[in-house]
Amino acid sequence: MSFAPNLPLIRLLVVKDWQLFQKQLAAYVLAGIIALALLGLAKPWAFHLGATLLLVVLVAAACFAISTSLLVERKEQTLAFVMSLPVTPLDFTLAKLAGNLLTFGVPYLVLLGGTAMVILGTPIPDGFVVFAVLVFGHVLLAYGLSLAVAMRVESEGWNTFVMIASMVLVNPFIMVIGQIDAIAGPARTDAITWSAPALAILAAQILLFALAIAWTAWSLGRRPAFY
Amino acid sequence: MSDAPRGAPAGAPMGPRVPALDQLRALAMGVGVLFHAALAYSPWLFPYWPTASDANWAGIDALVWLPHLVRMPLFFLVSGYLAALLLERRGMGGLMRQRVRRILVPFLVAWPLVHLSVSALTGWAATEVAAPSPFLLAVREYLAMPDPPDLPLSTGHLWFLWYLLIFTVLLWVSRTLEFDAALARLGPRSLAPSAIGLPILLWPGFMLTAAPHPAPESLFPQVWALLVYGPFFALGVALHGRLDALAPLRRWLWPGAIACLALYLAFLRQLPPGPVGPTTPWAIAALEAMVAGWGTLVCLVAGLRWLDRPRPWLDRLAGSAYWTYLLHLPVVFAIQYLLLDVAWPWPVEFVLTVVATFAICLATHALLVKRTRLKRYVG
């Protein structure tokens, strides 16, 4: 068995996932523009509505990216068709990971940039950027874990559980970091302060996300056959 | 602001580019220079406009806000038409690439340059001008603060490019989610009734902002601006290949123009002495919506009727319109800051500002853009 990935084929599979994702992306973009317009009204109710809408879009992008490209395809037995193509498990794993990271990564980065723009371009204290990045870090980690489980575990129930549980944990996570003085204190000032606890949490989030993706790629990619 | 070829090949399934729309856009750009130069002599804007002069005249406000209600909608309408033209000729990918090259790149390059030049000019004027405007006095106080607060990010007069990008993205969203197909099934077969009903769409947008409406300079999309300018962009898209659908409106050209003038006079009468805000009462907003909606259609129909053949001077203006748009405001500010300490009659200052601004913009266009690689981006 060859461990050299078939890059042209992987590219085709990623493009396929990206094209199937267009409608979802258009919906996220529309919701993002509505959220930014609400934030631009500069009213407290509009700010809360806009910020909530941004978070909903972020979570929806994470869940639907996994659901469309993995869970729905599994239900429709797309893998059986893919197995008839000259594709190795390594190619398929890498294509699925790359496609998912792309379809989630684009809206994720756009929303992260939009949120930073909102904080730095409005009277909201600039220090709140650190708090927001940690919340985005949590969603990234939740997405990474959900993706890893979706690729490893066939049970739809377990997949749904992990996806919902990890995303819902964003609420307690916000409460917990809101209790840490080194994070909550500077968030109320105009200075952007990366305190030791903030850096540690962010590093842990990124490390765990990278581990989840790397472990998935390694464990699935080295299989000699799909089953 | 398109680089599409001037005519479609014979038999191609799309309408050719319409010279009248290019000329209309050039005229609207010319009116924009007059508008920005005239604001220095507007009593309404005296407290807020950076180059506001003591030598102002009450008639300026009555004169400038009518074309202002029409010229920006006209820009968006023409832009929507050209976006639809490009979409048909080059597809969505081609449209996006063109918008990146012709709008996003010039915006990202011009934005800091315009911001820095206007800030430097205003900073200089705040300290050096002997007879500063109220705005410059406020800047002087701001500069004297030991720890001045950060000012919010603003697109300045380049907001038009920012909204064009937003509307292009919304056009892609609309195509991808098939909203346009659904609207085409639900909407009337003829465009004329939709065009006449345009003010109803604009009304809420005008109610949500001050009157006369300000420039939506914030980086955040302003709801009122989306509601006011979005319908014009959409109408421009819908008109692509169907300009003849406006033919029934031709006989209403003169009555429409007279009605718009009457509605504008009613709008001026409704206003208290000076602008209203931050929101506008429904009656004033309704008048604004009618003037903007029908006035833009009057200009469009008039342009299609009388600007149907090439005119060298208008073509030259059209060729340099984008460059003039980018450059004119810092130039106007530079000239008018210098004029603040000169006690000339305002009409003399106004004419001097306009002539000098056009001369600088046209000369620099000929020198820096017309025969250089910049033409691909802002030519």
Side-chain angles (χ1 to χ4, degrees):
Chain A
M1 179 190 161
S2 166
F3 280 97
N6 185 345
L7 291 178
L9 202 71
I10 290 173
R11 186 175 164 275
L12 280 177
L13 289 171
V14 171
V15 168
K16 183 266 292 175
D17 275 354
W18 175 252
Q19 285 178 345
L20 289 176
F21 178 68
Q22 293 290 303
K23 284 201 174 183
Q24 280 181 39
L25 183 64
Y28 300 147
V29 168
L30 183 61
I33 289 176
I34 292 171
L36 285 178
L38 282 168
L39 293 167
L41 284 175
K43 303 253 168 54
W45 67 266
F47 174 79
H48 290 297
L49 201 59
T52 307
L53 187 56
L54 276 180
L55 200 58
V56 167
V57 171
L58 190 62
V59 171
C63 294
F64 280 114
I66 295 171
S67 169
T68 307
S69 77
L70 286 166
L71 305 186
V72 173
E73 281 198 359
R74 190 172 287 153
K75 200 182 273 182
E76 292 172 351
Q77 302 203 321
T78 310
L79 180 61
F81 169 72
V82 172
M83 285 167 69
S84 69
L85 302 173
V87 180
T88 63
L90 176 67
D91 296 335
F92 183 73
T93 303
L94 291 180
K96 276 294 159 202
L97 280 176
N100 257 283
L101 291 175
L102 183 70
T103 52
F104 172 69
V106 170
Y108 179 85
L109 291 175
V110 169
L111 289 170
L112 182 59
T115 304
M117 189 182 87
V118 167
I119 295 168
L120 300 176
T122 62
I124 300 171
D126 290 356
F128 195 70
V129 161
V130 175
F131 199 95
V133 167
L134 292 179
V135 173
F136 270 79
H138 176 86
V139 176
L140 181 73
L141 175 58
Y143 170 77
L145 292 175
S146 303
L147 179 62
V149 171
M151 290 193 70
R152 289 287 318 181
V153 180
E154 295 212 357
S155 158
E156 197 178 336
W158 274 111
N159 273 301
T160 310
F161 171 75
V162 171
M163 217 184 286
I164 292 176
S166 60
M167 293 296 171
V168 166
L169 280 174
V170 74
N171 273 326
F173 176 75
I174 289 172
M175 284 175 63
V176 168
I177 59 173
Q179 302 295 317
I180 301 173
D181 288 341
I183 296 172
R188 298 188 196 96
T189 69
D190 263 335
I192 301 174
T193 309
W194 283 99
S195 61
L199 281 174
I201 291 171
L202 186 66
Q205 288 168 334
I206 293 172
L207 188 68
L208 287 173
F209 168 79
L211 277 176
I213 300 297
W215 174 73
T216 307
W218 181 77
S219 62
L220 289 178
R222 72 194 183 101
R223 291 182 308 174
F226 282 100
Y227 289 106
Chain B
M1 287 165 199
S2 161
D3 61 356
R6 286 272 157 173
M14 74 283 286
R17 189 158 169 151
V18 182
L21 295 184
D22 287 335
Q23 296 187 17
L24 265 177
R25 197 180 48 178
L27 286 175
M29 184 59 248
V31 172
V33 175
L34 297 178
F35 174 74
H36 283 134
L39 290 183
Y41 314 103
S42 152
W44 284 356
L45 288 198
F46 183 72
Y48 322 107
W49 192 248
T51 59
S53 166
D54 289 335
N56 51 44
W57 176 54
I60 284 284
D61 286 317
L63 286 176
V64 299
W65 296 106
L66 176 61
H68 184 58
L69 275 169
V70 171
R71 73 181 186 96
M72 293 316 297
L74 202 55
F75 272 129
F76 280 106
L77 194 149
V78 173
S79 299
Y81 182 92
L82 292 175
L85 179 74
L86 276 170
L87 189 58
E88 199 170 39
R89 287 186 176 185
R90 302 184 190 177
M92 189 55 82
L95 171 67
M96 289 299 174
R97 280 192 291 278
Q98 194 268 1
R99 293 283 137 152
V100 166
R101 178 166 57 83
R102 298 277 299 178
I103 299 180
L104 183 61
V105 171
F107 175 74
L108 291 177
V109 173
W111 186 24
L113 293 177
V114 168
H115 179 74
L116 287 174
S117 59
V118 169
S119 298
L121 285 167
T122 304
W124 171 84
T127 51
E128 299 298 326
V129 168
S133 63
F135 180 90
L136 286 180
L137 283 174
V139 172
R140 199 176 276 179
E141 284 176 22
Y142 174 84
L143 292 175
M145 286 180 188
D147 187 18
D150 290 338
L151 297 175
L153 283 173
S154 159
T155 55
H157 78 289
L158 303 181
W159 66 267
F160 172 71
L161 298 182
W162 184 234
Y163 276 81
L164 266 193
L165 289 171
I166 293 172
F167 289 141
T168 306
V169 169
L170 287 175
L171 178 63
W172 169 74
V173 168
S174 158
R175 288 282 157 115
T176 307
L177 297 178
E178 295 168 21
F179 288 164
D180 49 348
L183 280 174
R185 279 196 299 274
L186 293 172
R189 290 285 167 266
S190 165
L191 269 176
S194 313
I196 291 168
L198 193 57
I200 296 171
L201 291 177
L202 310 177
W203 193 5
F206 279 115
M207 283 173 69
L208 285 173
T209 189
H213 58 287
E217 292 178 346
S218 165
L219 268 180
F220 299 103
Q222 300 293 294
V223 175
W224 75 263
L226 295 175
L227 293 177
V228 166
Y229 297 123
F232 288 104
F233 186 86
L235 180 63
V237 172
L239 278 173
H240 170 57
R242 299 167 68 189
L243 280 174
D244 54 346
L246 294 176
L249 298 181
R250 271 195 170 195
R251 63 199 166 97
W252 292 99
L253 187 56
W254 286 110
I258 293 166
C260 284
L261 204 57
L263 288 165
Y264 180 66
L265 290 175
F267 162 70
L268 289 178
R269 279 182 63 86
Q270 287 276 327
L271 284 178
V276 293
T279 55
T280 300
W282 67 268
I284 298 176
L287 290 167
E288 274 189 298
M290 285 188 277
V291 174
W294 294 336
T296 305
L297 286 177
V298 164
C299 290
L300 180 63
V301 174
L304 292 171
R305 184 166 172 183
W306 288 305
L307 300 175
D308 56 347
R309 61 190 167 80
R311 286 174 174 77
W313 69 274
L314 258 182
D315 287 344
R316 198 169 300 130
L317 199 60
S320 64
Y322 195 1
W323 179 252
T324 303
Y325 161 71
L326 294 173
L327 195 64
H328 79 279
L329 200 65
V331 175
V332 166
F333 277 13
I335 296 168
Q336 292 190 328
Y337 281 143
L338 289 172
L339 290 174
L340 279 176
D341 284 340
V342 178
W344 289 345
W346 75 263
V348 175
E349 292 186 4
F350 173 71
V351 171
L352 181 70
T353 305
V354 170
V355 170
T357 302
F358 272 119
I360 291 170
C361 290
L362 292 175
T364 50
H365 176 260
L367 208 65
L368 301 173
V369 180
K370 205 172 176 181
R371 290 180 189 84
T372 68
R373 292 186 69 177
L374 273 180
K375 188 181 176 184
R376 266 174 63 77
Y377 298 89
V378 294

